[in-house]
Amino acid sequence: MRMFYILLISLVIQSHNEPRSLTVNTAKTNYVLDTAWVQTANKYIVSQPTGIGIDKSNHIFVFQRTGRHWTEPFPDSLISQNTIFEFDSQTGKLVNSWGANVFLMPHGLTVDKNNNVWVTDVALQQIFKFSHEGKLLMKLGTATVAGDDATHFNLPTDVAVGDDGTFYVSDGYGNSRVAKFSSSGKFIKSWGKYGNKPGEFIIPHGIAIDNKNIIYVADRQNNRIQLFDTSGRFLKELKNNEEVEQVPSVAIGLNNSLFAIDYDPRKKPDSTVNGSTFFEFDKSQHIISHIGASGSYDRTSCWFHDIAVDKNGNIYVGDIIGLRVLKFKPAKTHLK
């Protein structure tokens, strides 16, 4: 028995001293930073990239606060430069840009199955639906007026669009609810309130919907993802297995795979924040691994605000501290 405890203590010490590996148990998907793509695309990212989406051509849409950072009170002048940028997923080259003189404080971005681009503006208290090329198709909410009813939002954060065109708004910093609308923009219902119980939120910051019509809400300050059906019935919660403060965003990948990001604002000895990781769930909805900005487990001074997954399984995150978009390519590795 004494030898057993000695062996156990030895294993614990060894595990504590060795670096955490991204490859655990069996073959799995790891990711490497695509430095060439990052260098090319980020020539055009000059401010906080807050929203990311993928279109039918596998192009990457980025919503940035061009020339602006989050400030309170919010600015009252529209951003005069383009705020929505479209990039080639393979090369990082700019394909198109638009969105000047429309927004005060950009936040979330989603591209639906019909290539429409949906965005939220927290300062304008509105959500917008645009065509792929930037023609305004729909606008909901009363400009700069907060509220908690069918025609108002309170700092709305993100939009998820179902295959039938029904859409859901995470609303948001102020209201702690999800609002549901028909494809034509008619208010249907809302659910949620401030709190940490099932169906409650402390900043519903990101939202996504899978092909089974399950809605995933990144409940930011509760460090979790909550799952609902389309009527708003609570299904389950997925807790982040890291003791950090925030889960800002969630994304659906290939074959309904699930990804999310987190953020730890606590300071290191050098006064930089611990930073963010993105993490992946397996088919049983257990977290596989946390990956930082360098492609390793280590956290660095960054703040991932949104995440998207393209048709090839590449991961994109917007870093609002580093003012950059990062692309991670999947790389299969095997234990031997």
Side-chain angles (χ1 to χ4, degrees), residues 253-271:
L254 303 174
N255 302 315
N256 267 1
S257 56
L258 181 63
F259 295 82
I261 51 178
D262 67 13
Y263 176 57
D264 185 357
R266 292 173 296 184
K267 298 290 187 179
K268 297 179 180 180
D270 64 0
S271 296

Side-chain angles (χ1 to χ4, degrees), residues 209-214 216 251-259:
I209 185 169
D210 69 15
N211 60 20
K212 297 180 180 178
N213 286 323
I214 297 174
Y216 300 76
I252 309 299
L254 303 174
N255 302 315
N256 267 1
S257 56
L258 181 63
F259 295 82

Side-chain angles (χ1 to χ4, degrees), residues 215-263:
I215 299 162
Y216 300 76
V217 181
D219 186 6
R220 196 181 84 172
Q221 302 305 116
N222 282 322
N223 192 32
R224 66 182 178 179
I225 300 164
Q226 295 197 66
L227 280 62
F228 302 89
D229 65 17
T230 56
S231 68
R233 181 173 66 93
F234 173 81
L235 300 176
K236 67 185 298 185
E237 73 170 26
L238 303 176
K239 289 291 291 184
N240 183 11
N241 63 8
E242 295 282 295
E243 295 297 324
V244 299
E245 181 179 300
Q246 302 179 11
V247 171
S249 186
V250 60
I252 309 299
L254 303 174
N255 302 315
N256 267 1
S257 56
L258 181 63
F259 295 82
I261 51 178
D262 67 13
Y263 176 57

Side-chain angles (χ1 to χ4, degrees), residues 259-313:
F259 295 82
I261 51 178
D262 67 13
Y263 176 57
D264 185 357
R266 292 173 296 184
K267 298 290 187 179
K268 297 179 180 180
D270 64 0
S271 296
T272 63
V273 299
N274 280 333
S276 289
T277 67
F278 73 87
F279 52 98
E280 179 181 1
F281 293 83
D282 64 18
K283 292 182 179 179
S284 299
Q285 294 184 327
H286 296 117
I287 294 173
I288 297 174
S289 59
H290 287 256
I291 301 172
S294 65
S296 71
Y297 185 89
D298 296 333
R299 293 177 183 269
T300 58
S301 183
C302 60
W303 186 345
F304 297 165
H305 192 267
D306 198 11
I307 181 170
V309 186
D310 73 16
K311 296 178 179 64
N312 296 318

Side-chain angles (χ1 to χ4, degrees), residues 25-76:
N25 296 328
T26 58
K28 56 180 285 189
T29 304
N30 288 333
Y31 296 88
V32 294
L33 184 65
D34 188 339
T35 55
W37 190 96
V38 169
Q39 183 176 10
T40 301
N42 282 282
K43 295 174 182 177
Y44 303 94
I45 305 300
V46 297
S47 296
Q48 295 173 330
T50 56
I52 303 177
I54 314 290
D55 74 3
K56 292 171 65 175
S57 299
N58 221 27
H59 288 174
I60 314 308
F61 274 74
V62 177
F63 198 21
Q64 70 165 316
R65 298 168 177 159
T66 313
R68 185 165 290 178
H69 288 71
W70 181 292
T71 57
E72 296 182 38
F74 291 128
D76 56 9

Side-chain angles (χ1 to χ4, degrees), residues 23 27-33 313-314 328-334:
T23 305
K28 56 180 285 189
T29 304
N30 288 333
Y31 296 88
V32 294
L33 184 65
N314 300 304
F328 298 88
K329 300 185 296 185
K332 289 290 185 180
T333 60
H334 301 269

Side-chain angles (χ1 to χ4, degrees), residues 119-139:
V119 298
T120 66
D121 187 311
V122 288
L124 284 172
Q125 308 283 9
Q126 292 176 306
I127 71 164
F128 300 79
K129 176 185 178 182
F130 294 94
S131 71
H132 188 269
E133 304 304 322
K135 178 183 178 182
L136 181 63
L137 303 176
M138 183 189 300
K139 179 167 59 176

